Amino acid sequence: MNSDRRQRLHDLLLALITREEGLPLMDQTLPEEGSAAEPARWLDQNRRTLQRYQALVRTAVTLDALMDAEENAG
C-alpha cells in the first residue's frame, strides 16, 4: 500500500471515529472477584467495543476503495 493511500485510510478512520458519539475504550481493568457474572459482562463489553472498532475499520477500507475506484475511473 503506498503512503498516500495509507494516509487517506488513516484520515478516513479518524474521521469516522470522530463522528462516533460515546465510543468506549477497551476496559483493561479486570473485574473484582465476588460475582460470577462480572467476568462474563466484562468480556462481553470488550467484545462489543472491539466489534464497533472493526466495523469502523471496514467502513474506512470500503470508502477508501470507492475513492480509489473513482480516481481510476476519472
Side-chain angles (χ1 to χ4, degrees), residues 5-70:
R5 187 163 183 208
R6 185 177 185 92
Q7 183 62 45
R8 183 175 68 190
L9 183 57
H10 177 78
D11 292 342
L12 283 168
L13 184 56
L14 287 179
L16 289 169
I17 288 172
T18 301
R19 290 184 50 100
E20 284 287 309
E21 291 185 23
L23 191 63
L25 298 176
M26 299 291 283
D27 185 6
Q28 68 181 22
T29 307
L30 293 172
E32 293 182 21
E33 292 185 32
S35 171
E38 288 302 316
R41 190 173 323 156
W42 175 80
L43 284 171
D44 191 49
Q45 177 184 342
N46 280 344
R47 181 187 54 78
R48 285 191 310 267
T49 299
L50 180 61
Q51 287 174 339
R52 285 180 74 182
Y53 279 98
Q54 287 172 330
L56 290 172
V57 169
R58 285 191 300 271
T59 301
V61 168
T62 300
L63 290 172
D64 179 64
L66 290 170
M67 291 170 70
D68 194 41
E70 284 291 320

